[in-house]
Amino acid sequence: MKAIEQRLPQDYDKSFIVFRESGQFFPCPWHYHPEYELVLITSSTGRRMVGDHIGYFDKEDLVFMGPGLQHVWLNDENYVNGEAREQADGIVIQFVEKFLGEKFLEIPEMEKLKKVFQLASHGMVIQGDTRNQINNIMKQMPTMTGLERLSALFNIFHLLAHTREYELLASPGYVQKGCWNGSDRSAKITEYIMRNFDSDISLPEIAARSNMAITTFCNFFKENYRTTFVEYLNTVRVGYACKLIAEKNKNVVEIAYECGFKNLANFNRQFKKIKKMTPTDYRRTVDASA
């Protein structure tokens, strides 16, 4: 089952989209689009899937996502069946990266925001006081016009650029293999893992490539990634497996080996440990969102 590309209508005299979704339940399928997107739930409950992450939403839930990231919000059954006491309601903001011109993100003032945009490729749940402030702004934006509307978006950008109140959603392995630019040691380690996770990467090998002794590398990795190298590698592989399950018509055995696991039993064990469900259950969940 593949995600579909879905677009929201944009007014000809607006540089970005502010859209209110309201009804018995959210009708969107498993989809993606080329815009960055902020999704605020103002009413209803249910389950959201962002990449390979499955979580739950309630009122005031706020998520920021980058272009191309597959996602869906599924309301609880009482909304779908018309038994809820309230309607599903949410506010969506969408914008393309260059909506204010080619050089928009190249000016010095945008440096911190650029880093947030990079993190958005995973999807970010915004939390705490940052969430409260952004939600208050977003609730007013559907009635705003002109410079007031644009100014409100820049206020949101400011809050995103300076917050640490967030949780990343999609795992590194689910996000497309790409090119990680950077000269620091962590960036080089991440790039090597992302380019080679489907092969047999040994701890001595990656430690040597990082110009560190094994013990030094393990301590460095734990401090910078907040997990062990093996746990991180398994998370990347399982994330990529989720992508294959959602997008390709392959059986579980093929997917396990394509992601770098040497046997099916270990793949199933690691998948359940990380995703709290089996690969088969994950496929059913994805199919149910179609």
Side-chain angles (χ1 to χ4, degrees):
M1 189 278 298
K2 285 193 174 183
I4 65 169
E5 182 174 355
Q6 190 172 69
R7 310 294 285 272
L8 292 177
Q10 180 172 347
D11 296 334
Y12 75 94
D13 60 343
K14 304 290 193 304
S15 61
F16 65 96
I17 295 169
V18 178
F19 180 81
R20 182 157 222 138
E21 182 79 68
S22 186
Q24 180 179 318
F25 60 91
F26 298 131
C28 291
W30 179 239
H31 69 286
Y32 64 94
H33 40 72
E35 295 88 1
Y36 287 89
E37 182 173 69
L38 273 159
V39 178
L40 163 62
I41 302 300
T42 58
S43 177
S44 77
T45 60
R47 181 180 57 193
R48 55 169 155 73
M49 294 181 62
V50 178
D52 61 333
H53 183 273
I54 300 174
Y56 296 90
F57 68 85
D58 203 337
K59 294 179 182 178
E60 305 300 323
D61 187 65
L62 179 65
V63 174
F64 181 43
M65 296 171 288
L69 181 59
Q70 299 166 0
H71 57 278
V72 68
W73 268 244
L74 299 170
N75 283 115
D76 288 330
E77 285 298 315
N78 59 328
Y79 288 91
V80 177
N81 296 334
E83 298 172 353
R85 296 181 179 180
E86 59 185 3
Q87 286 195 318
D89 187 80
I91 299 171
V92 176
I93 296 175
Q94 287 187 351
F95 58 90
V96 295
E97 183 171 296
K98 299 176 181 179
F99 79 108
L100 289 180
E102 295 288 328
K103 303 292 185 180
F104 167 56
L105 286 178
E106 300 308 316
I107 61 176
E109 291 84 353
M110 293 294 106
E111 191 61 34
K112 288 185 178 180
L113 186 63
K114 282 174 64 176
K115 294 179 181 179
V116 175
F117 281 9
Q118 292 169 359
L119 292 174
S121 64
H122 296 266
M124 307 167 67
V125 177
I126 310 302
Q127 301 166 331
D129 189 53
T130 305
R131 181 190 71 173
N132 297 337
Q133 292 184 66
I134 292 176
N135 288 2
N136 288 335
I137 296 171
M138 288 183 66
K139 289 173 185 177
Q140 300 175 57
M141 288 181 71
T143 60
M144 292 180 180
T145 58
L147 285 176
E148 182 186 26
R149 186 173 181 266
L150 183 59
S151 177
L153 182 60
F154 269 81
N155 286 336
I156 292 173
F157 285 168
H158 174 77
L159 291 166
L160 289 174
H162 293 88
T163 188
R164 294 185 178 180
E165 297 179 301
Y166 62 83
E167 175 190 348
L168 297 182
L169 298 178
S171 65
Y174 190 90
V175 178
Q176 292 275 359
K177 282 187 179 182
C179 181
W180 284 263
N181 296 318
S183 58
D184 67 299
R185 186 171 284 176
S186 293
K188 290 180 178 178
I189 291 172
T190 300
E191 179 180 357
Y192 186 79
I193 293 172
M194 295 305 294
R195 292 189 185 279
N196 298 280
F197 66 80
D198 50 355
S199 304
D200 185 17
I201 307 177
S202 69
L203 182 56
E205 173 192 355
I206 194 167
R209 286 184 172 273
S210 306
N211 296 316
M212 287 186 270
I214 293 177
T215 301
T216 304
F217 174 82
C218 290
N219 292 335
F220 173 86
F221 201 95
K222 183 78 172 183
E223 181 178 351
N224 286 270
Y225 292 79
R226 299 182 183 179
T227 187
T228 67
F229 164 69
V230 173
E231 288 170 341
Y232 184 84
L233 180 60
N234 284 333
T235 299
V236 170
R237 287 171 170 170
V238 167
Y240 189 61
C242 290
K243 189 175 184 67
L244 297 182
I245 290 171
E247 295 185 352
K248 295 185 178 181
N249 187 25
K250 293 187 175 183
N251 62 47
V252 172
V253 176
E254 292 176 298
I255 290 172
Y257 284 102
E258 188 168 337
C259 295
F261 288 97
K262 293 182 178 180
N263 62 75
L264 182 60
N266 187 39
F267 170 66
N268 286 330
R269 181 167 57 252
Q270 296 302 330
F271 196 103
K272 189 168 185 179
K273 177 182 177 182
I274 293 167
K275 291 299 171 186
K276 313 303 180 187
M277 64 178 71
T278 66
T280 302
D281 289 338
Y282 184 85
R283 172 164 274 160
R284 290 195 191 103
T285 301
V286 173
D287 289 343
S289 69

